[in-house]
Amino acid sequence: MATANDNQATHSTQPDGSLTITDNRTGKSYEVEISQGAIKASDLLQIRTIDDEPGLTTYDPGFVNTASCKSAITYIDGEHGILEYRGYPIEQLAEGASFLEVAYLLIKGSLPTKAEYEQWVHEITFHTYVHENVRGFMQGFRYDAHPMGMLMASVGALSTFYPESNNIDDPDNRHIQIIRMIAKMPTLGAWAFRHAQGKPYIYPDNDLGYTANFLSMLFKMSEQRYAPDERLVKALDTLFILHADHEQNCSTNAVRSVGSSHVDPYSSVAAGIGALYGPLHGGANEAVLRMLRRIGKAENIPDFIKGVKAGEERLMGFGHRVYKNYDPRAKIIKKACDDVFEVTGTNPLLDIAVELEKIALEDEYFVKRRLYPNVDFYSGLIYEALAFPPEMFTVLFAIGRTPGWLAQWVELTEDKEQKIARPKQIYTGDRRLDFIPSEQRWS
Ligand code: CMC
């Protein structure tokens, strides 16, 4: 069993070697250092044909092969289906840790002692309430407002309630804003849900745990105290853990990019929520449910697969930019499905999903392209069983991802090598046109 100290030696910043580049335009050669498997993009600037032209740059839409930071938070090996938070395998954390323990691990860098954990849970529990004016403006949204839009706006608005949060260089100040954000996210998410249902907002119950309190704010009606089934609490807590971080994905990149301007963390996280809102990022689990419903029964699977192979559509919940193996999160979610359905009764769509997975994993089309189930293949089934409407799926993702966003934000603020995000462009437009005033252009 490796410990954090054993691993120190493997993270040396000494150069691994060097790369020699010959510019065939000029015949000149350059040597650039390779360190931790990367070259510095700024080392390419010395490569130019004439002295006053800008140096060579790289063109990388979507940052497919550009590292924007050094990070010690999350490790992914997509070839082998490995995901680790701070070095701990996701399987072990999902099995044995609570979501708040994982949140501490991600943000503080190591697992908490008993005293640290109790203090952490205490602080988060007693910051679950929001200012009454937050409730007021949330009630001002239209009756059919999407909960992600409400969440994004409300988190952004928290910066106006805590203006001191822009003092990002003070670790104590950062700490309290982190506590507030993790604590209030379920309150805001649950109220966005109640709003769409036209039901009264439920205040936090601080005698309940983090996830149980969230379920209470979502589903409590006239009973004295909402008492969720512990197996459902555990399943949702596990889903939060599985979504807690995933290194430099679109929303994390948004948090870091906005945070690099040194704005307060609420504004940065609101940007992350905006990125997550998009269907290419947070919305695939909903598409999986629609697909399973359309397939309808197991006998229709071969025809559906035929259509996928003919390029007519995609098998949603399959394939990943990084994982070329089974997404480790999908395995854990599949198991959580069984636990949830034990309580809620089975969903016939699960049988279709299991059969679909079996057929796809044996089919040459999927095998050749290394397409495996991803985190979204089974998660929508659980969310539906827990009585969430599809618009809430991404809100659940956002609550789970909040500690990851904040861990990445802290790392950014403490990283002396970081600068304000400012990518380059390759300009393809016109130049030096002569402006003709409108009275002449339009005459
Ligand atoms: N069904 C059928 N074919 C697929 C699929 C799929 N789900 N995914 C990829 N392919 C094929 C694709 O057609 C291409 O084939 P060919 O080489 O013949 O043109 C090949 O596999 C490579 O696909 P790609 O689009 O170049 O791969 P990518 O890395 O750009 O896309 C992806 C990754 C996740 C967008 C894609 O696999 C996809 O659209 N999957 C379905 C949507 C989905 O489940 N998204 C959730 C992703 S996990 C969320 C998270 O981690 O946050």
Side-chain angles (χ1 to χ4, degrees):
M1 173 68 64
T3 66
N5 284 343
D6 297 336
N7 287 333
Q8 296 287 321
T10 58
H11 299 304
S12 156
T13 50
Q14 291 305 308
D16 311 336
S18 66
L19 176 73
T20 301
I21 302 167
T22 302
D23 184 345
N24 292 324
R25 299 170 302 177
T26 59
K28 278 196 206 158
S29 280
Y30 304 83
E31 192 167 317
V32 296
E33 204 172 81
I34 303 175
S35 177
Q36 295 176 296
I39 61 164
K40 279 199 188 126
S42 57
D43 283 349
L44 300 178
L45 288 172
Q46 59 183 311
I47 304 176
R48 47 166 73 103
T49 50
I50 45 172
D51 277 352
D52 61 350
E53 81 170 8
L56 193 68
T57 191
T58 54
Y59 175 58
D60 190 8
F63 304 127
V64 173
N65 191 28
T66 298
S68 63
C69 61
K70 293 176 182 167
S71 181
I73 301 171
T74 290
Y75 174 77
I76 302 177
D77 174 347
E79 283 296 311
H80 301 101
I82 295 171
L83 170 62
E84 295 169 358
Y85 296 159
R86 299 283 187 186
Y88 294 97
I90 190 67
E91 293 81 1
Q92 293 181 22
L93 294 171
E95 177 73 31
S98 70
F99 174 61
L100 289 189
E101 208 175 349
V102 168
Y104 186 100
L105 171 70
L106 286 168
I107 292 165
K108 303 286 179 184
S110 57
L111 287 167
T113 62
K114 186 166 185 286
E116 285 166 342
Y117 183 63
E118 283 170 2
Q119 174 68 15
W120 178 249
V121 172
H122 175 83
E123 286 184 278
I124 290 174
T125 304
F126 287 91
H127 281 90
T128 49
Y129 274 67
V130 293
H131 192 290
E132 212 35 31
N133 289 1
V134 172
R135 178 193 175 92
F137 78 71
M138 285 188 83
Q139 281 173 326
F141 279 94
R142 254 174 64 143
Y143 69 96
D144 58 352
H146 195 290
M148 276 299 274
M150 289 181 71
L151 187 68
M152 175 167 57
S154 312
V155 170
L158 288 183
S159 70
T160 68
F161 290 85
Y162 308 109
E164 77 285 3
S165 63
N166 65 5
N167 184 9
I168 61 161
D169 292 325
D170 173 5
D172 291 340
N173 182 43
R174 286 201 301 255
H175 176 80
I176 183 64
Q177 311 311 336
I178 286 169
I179 293 286
R180 283 181 174 139
M181 208 146 3
I182 295 174
K184 295 179 197 315
M185 200 64 111
T187 311
L188 300 175
W191 286 7
F193 170 77
R194 301 283 293 204
H195 184 82
Q197 308 226 323
K199 290 183 181 153
Y201 298 178
I202 301 292
Y203 285 95
D205 180 344
N206 289 345
D207 287 333
L208 293 174
Y210 186 84
T211 303
N213 170 49
F214 177 49
L215 288 169
S216 165
M217 291 187 288
L218 288 160
F219 300 122
K220 185 172 182 295
M221 292 306 290
S222 59
E223 63 272 43
Q224 271 301 359
R225 164 154 296 152
Y226 183 78
D229 188 302
E230 276 309 313
R231 289 167 295 179
L232 299 185
V233 174
K234 170 69 188 144
L236 190 53
D237 209 68
T238 303
L239 280 159
F240 287 156
I241 292 173
L242 298 181
H243 286 92
D245 197 48
H246 214 228
E247 50 122 299
Q248 305 311 313
N249 54 84
C250 177
S251 58
T252 300
N253 183 58
V255 170
R256 278 185 173 261
S257 188
V258 172
S260 76
S261 75
H262 292 186
V263 73
D264 65 88
Y266 299 100
S267 303
S268 298
V269 169
I273 297 172
L276 190 67
Y277 196 173
L280 291 187
H281 191 3
N285 45 20
E286 193 184 329
V288 172
L289 274 190
R290 279 200 304 272
M291 172 189 78
L292 294 175
R293 261 193 209 106
R294 202 155 38 83
I295 294 172
K297 46 187 178 190
E299 299 91 275
N300 296 338
I301 294 175
D303 269 353
F304 170 77
I305 294 277
K306 223 185 269 170
V308 170
K309 286 160 68 173
E312 288 160 16
E313 61 184 313
R314 288 205 159 191
L315 170 47
M316 298 310 287
F318 255 65
H320 198 277
R321 172 66 62 77
V322 181
Y323 294 117
K324 300 303 168 201
N325 204 319
Y326 214 104
D327 181 336
R329 300 169 299 174
K331 268 192 204 144
I332 301 166
I333 292 183
K334 197 174 173 189
K335 154 90 183 48
C337 267
D338 297 336
D339 300 342
V340 168
F341 290 147
E342 205 180 289
V343 182
T344 62
T346 188
N347 181 338
L349 295 182
L350 177 66
D351 300 332
I352 299 175
V354 170
E355 186 61 18
L356 186 54
E357 177 192 333
K358 188 167 154 279
I359 292 177
L361 290 181
E362 286 167 358
D363 191 296
E364 202 236 331
Y365 174 94
F366 298 92
V367 174
K368 205 171 106 203
R369 290 171 179 76
R370 306 184 68 189
L371 302 171
Y372 292 85
N374 60 48
V375 69
D376 289 319
F377 194 64
Y378 288 105
S379 62
L381 287 170
I382 298 194
Y383 295 149
E384 190 173 71
L386 293 174
F388 289 108
E391 322 72 87
M392 276 299 285
F393 293 0
T394 323
V395 171
L396 302 171
F397 192 154
I399 294 171
R401 184 57 56 88
T402 299
W405 287 330
L406 292 167
Q408 301 272 350
W409 172 76
V410 170
E411 190 172 63
L412 166 89
T413 58
E414 291 179 346
D415 183 349
K416 299 278 174 282
E417 288 184 8
Q418 282 298 324
K419 292 175 182 297
I420 186 165
R422 196 353 180 147
K424 280 200 155 181
Q425 64 167 13
I426 296 173
Y427 180 68
T428 60
D430 292 327
R431 298 233 19 236
R432 295 178 187 276
L433 301 179
D434 283 322
F435 175 71
I436 302 164
S438 57
E439 54 277 16
Q440 289 174 37
R441 287 192 337 267
W442 297 342
S443 61

